Amino acid sequence: MLRTVAVVGTGLIGTSIGLAVSRHGVTVHLLDQDEVAARTAAALGAGLVGAPDEPADLAVIAVPPGAVGEVLGRTQARGLARSYTDVASVKAQLTREMLTSLPDPSHYVGGHPLAGGEHSGPLAARAGLFEDRAWVLTPSPTTSRDAVNRVFEMIALCGAVPVIMDSRAHDDAVALTSHAPHLLASLMAARLRLGSQDEIRLAGQGLHDMTRMAVRDPGLWSDILQANAPAVAGVLRELRDDLTTVLGTLDDLSDAPRDMRSRTLKPVVDLLDDGAAGLAAIHGRRSADRETQVEVLVADRPGQLARLLDALRALRVEPEDVMPRHSPEEGTLSMRFAVPAVRAGRIVLELEQGGWDADSIDPASGARRQRAVAPPRRTGEPHRGFREPLIPARK
């Protein structure tokens, strides 16, 4: 059980973590080279300024990506905590560095909460920043059970949803969904500096929405882009190809006969259709939260999670649609996924017949369905209320 957390870096993310876990009775120690920032975070109720007298259960390194390695190495060398994580938005390069440079890399697990805001600094922090947001973990083969368990517990206290990913897959994903969009928002915002006052006066909500993500901290984003340059460049090359198509089509329109303009414009119309499909995919992904949720408890024995994922594939549920959830109260790990309501009952029944402890959850009330009889269960499979360690001890 987490009792003490050390937060190194009291900006938006670090202070929000302190606020979130403090409300659950965890003692938080705040460290920052900027004493004003640390004291501001403490005044908000995020914790106490200064290092703990004894090693904290968990240290969260909430500094810019370029500084994580140095700060993490220094804090582990001085024994600040028993386990360590970070919140940097780029993971592959950092993971490689940590495996070779940390005194004991087994105590470290990479992390990235998918939450933020338009403003930075402790005054922008809030305890609910992470509610229902994904929080990616990128454990390495050497990561210890205790390190993962402690970070899982912190994520649960913050109200976030843990997602385990390979560090390279994480970086590719955020290049597409975060890093490139931020850069494009900045490039569009940069065009506005050339606009006249009369032109700027016509800016509507669409322009505000598009440029809202424009980079406000060039130093931070220089670190991010440097660490994730190949993945971001890949996304931008594809966008460059699309822009080349748009530019060529618009140039051709000026010379095209009126009766040929619709045909000439078709490549751009196709791209607009692709854009509508991409937007629908985002909305469809979000609407999955309104579908019926199914939760399956995982026994703490080698091979059980892999066996469950195989069973889910047979039921047409892909691993990337499954999110792990940790219950600090019960000390258990379960897997949750959304399926159409018409399929939920059958999926739960087949899982139970296979010996799994599965529940469907009403999307409106959050209530679990009521069982008439206890489901069949293989010998040794867990049942709700049975508490086991989250991850098997490493040999």
Side-chain angles (χ1 to χ4, degrees):
M1 179 178 178
L2 276 184
R3 293 182 173 82
T4 57
V5 170
V7 175
V8 184
T10 51
L12 168 64
I13 300 298
T15 303
S16 294
I17 291 172
L19 291 171
V21 301
S22 291
R23 62 183 178 177
H24 293 285
V26 176
T27 300
V28 179
H29 296 269
L30 305 169
L31 299 92
D32 198 306
Q33 62 180 4
D34 182 347
E35 185 176 353
V36 174
R39 294 194 176 279
T40 300
L44 291 170
L48 309 171
V49 177
D53 294 331
E54 299 179 350
D57 294 324
L58 177 67
V60 182
I61 310 302
V63 300
V68 171
E70 188 271 331
V71 172
L72 189 52
R74 187 176 70 243
T75 55
Q76 190 177 88
R78 62 185 274 202
L80 178 64
R82 297 179 177 87
S83 300
Y84 300 81
T85 188
D86 69 290
V87 298
S89 65
V90 185
K91 302 264 68 101
Q93 177 179 305
L94 180 61
T95 299
R96 289 194 300 270
E97 292 176 357
M98 296 306 97
L99 288 175
T100 58
S101 65
L102 284 181
D104 188 349
S106 70
H107 295 309
Y108 164 72
V109 55
H112 177 207
L114 276 297
E118 294 182 48
H119 304 289
S120 59
L123 291 177
R126 54 188 179 88
L129 183 67
F130 311 104
E131 291 286 346
D132 298 322
R133 303 302 298 270
W135 194 311
V136 177
L137 295 182
T138 57
S140 73
T142 67
T143 302
S144 71
R145 172 194 65 179
D146 287 342
V148 175
N149 283 357
R150 286 169 179 145
V151 181
F152 263 139
E153 186 171 353
M154 180 193 68
I155 292 172
L157 295 177
C158 289
V161 180
V163 179
I164 297 177
M165 294 183 71
D166 171 76
S167 59
R168 181 71 264 166
H170 164 273
D171 289 1
D172 289 341
V174 294
L176 175 65
T177 61
S178 176
H179 299 166
H182 275 84
L183 186 56
L184 290 170
S186 294
L187 294 177
M188 187 63 233
R191 296 299 92 209
L192 300 178
R193 80 191 194 282
L194 304 177
S196 68
Q197 287 300 313
D198 288 339
E199 289 172 326
I200 298 299
R201 190 176 294 118
L202 299 181
Q205 188 59 47
L207 181 63
H208 285 285
D209 290 342
M210 182 178 182
T211 57
R212 181 178 56 83
M213 294 192 306
V215 170
R216 290 174 170 81
D217 187 343
L220 170 64
W221 278 91
S222 294
D223 279 355
I224 291 172
L225 294 174
Q226 179 180 345
N228 205 22
V232 176
V235 176
L236 295 181
R237 286 190 185 94
E238 293 176 352
L239 284 167
R240 178 193 60 193
D241 294 342
D242 289 341
L243 284 172
T244 298
T245 298
V246 172
L247 286 170
T249 300
L250 295 178
D251 287 339
D252 291 343
L253 277 174
S254 61
D255 297 325
R258 182 176 297 276
D259 61 349
M260 294 292 293
R261 288 183 180 178
S262 294
R263 181 178 301 177
T264 303
L265 193 59
K266 187 179 185 304
V268 173
V269 173
D270 289 343
L271 287 173
L272 295 176
D273 286 340
D274 290 344
L279 187 60
I282 295 175
H283 290 164
R285 187 70 181 173
R286 289 175 177 171
S287 69
D289 294 335
R290 296 190 292 272
E291 296 177 332
T292 297
Q293 299 277 325
V294 175
E295 187 171 23
V296 189
L297 200 64
V298 182
D300 183 21
R301 294 200 304 277
Q304 290 303 299
L305 180 54
R307 192 169 74 83
L308 173 60
L309 294 178
D310 287 341
L312 293 180
R313 286 190 188 95
L315 296 171
R316 292 184 290 126
V317 177
E318 296 300 324
E320 57 264 30
D321 295 324
V322 179
M323 289 189 177
R325 298 179 71 89
H326 172 238
S327 170
E329 295 79 14
E330 297 182 3
T332 56
L333 178 68
S334 61
M335 298 293 139
R336 183 176 287 194
F337 52 92
V339 294
V342 294
R343 293 183 57 210
R346 183 64 185 173
I347 286 176
V348 169
L349 178 61
E350 292 196 21
L351 286 170
E352 289 177 342
Q353 289 175 344
W356 298 100
D357 189 348
D359 268 347
S360 61
I361 303 168
D362 181 79
S365 65
R368 299 178 185 275
R369 73 188 166 91
Q370 298 297 313
R371 293 194 181 101
V373 296
R377 182 178 289 110
R378 294 179 181 176
T379 302
E381 289 291 338
H383 56 80
R384 298 194 183 277
F386 179 68
R387 302 185 180 187
E388 295 182 287
L390 180 61
I391 295 178
R394 297 170 63 238
K395 301 289 186 178

